[in-house]
Amino acid sequence: MGPSLPPITKNLIIINVLFYFATIVFQIEDIDLSVFLGAYYPESPNFKIWEILTHMFMHASYPNISHILFNMFALWMFGSAVEQTFGPKKFLIMYFLAGFGGFILFNLANYFQIQPLKEAIVAQGFSLDEIYTYSKLNVHGALYNLPENFRSTQEVIDLINFYRTPMVGASGAIYGLLVAFAVLFPDAKLALIFFPVPIKAKYFIPIMIGVELFMGVQNYSWNNVAHFAHLGGGLIGFLLAKSWKKNLYRRN
């Protein structure tokens, strides 16, 4: 990488940090910005079309700083090299398309979990319209007066949790850059804090993707990470990097 951050990478980091500080400021006023800017399941009453874009700049709120720190570190480390290779325009296209890809695959995975819940709920005599209404969050991120019979039925609670839990973070876009980096620089050696042994990118990144796939399929109850968003972003990054790399050094 060069001595300074390339312009798009630098500005994306600045925007993400500004959004993070905005969530802190609104949090002081007991307003949850993720209600308006996080990406909800498209069927949720909390979903707004702009969330497909804005969720990429939202991160877990204070005092959790590890989410934004890891993403911004990865954006600096891998985004800089990818931007310098493909140029600002293609880099920006890759970043947002990877983020959109993450949103799509994450919600596709949610769909296959939500549909059986809806069928079970209807079979128990509950109204899906009522559940839809009671799933709407107020500005504080709280539900409106959920009836006792709704609170005591696990399938209803699970569906409401799908409707009221937003996806936030730049991770889908970041994974697109991670995979693109591995395509561009397969022999570059990488090492992370939790795994300090240097491994070539062409081995390291596929291992990370494999772990994401395993964790996503297992769907652990304690695990609130959007693994399929990572996979969706990684897939877009791979497809674009493979396509663009073929023409990278082609002469006119």
Side-chain angles (χ1 to χ4, degrees), residues 17-76:
V17 171
L18 288 175
F19 266 73
Y20 185 74
F21 280 113
T23 63
I24 296 175
V25 172
F26 278 85
Q27 190 175 330
I28 294 172
E29 299 298 323
D30 196 27
I31 296 174
D32 186 354
L33 269 190
S34 67
V35 173
F36 309 103
L37 302 178
Y40 291 85
Y41 185 67
E43 194 178 64
S44 167
N46 303 298
F47 175 76
K48 304 293 186 296
I49 190 64
W50 60 76
E51 296 170 356
I52 299 175
L53 174 64
T54 58
H55 84 275
M56 300 183 207
F57 300 102
M58 297 290 293
H59 288 83
S61 58
Y62 183 83
N64 183 348
I65 64 171
S66 60
H67 189 203
I68 188 169
L69 285 179
F70 177 82
N71 277 350
M72 294 306 98
F73 173 77
L75 177 54
W76 163 74

Side-chain angles (χ1 to χ4, degrees), residues 111-155:
Y111 172 84
F112 289 106
Q113 297 180 73
I114 287 173
Q115 288 306 111
L117 282 177
K118 291 167 65 176
E119 293 171 8
I121 288 168
V122 170
Q124 294 178 58
F126 287 97
S127 166
L128 291 177
D129 289 337
E130 280 189 282
I131 292 172
Y132 181 88
T133 299
Y134 285 119
S135 297
K136 185 168 180 59
L137 298 169
N138 60 29
V139 295
H140 310 297
L143 294 171
Y144 290 105
N145 301 321
L146 192 63
E148 178 61 34
N149 62 326
F150 281 34
R151 294 197 296 267
S152 61
T153 305
Q154 188 59 49
E155 289 83 1

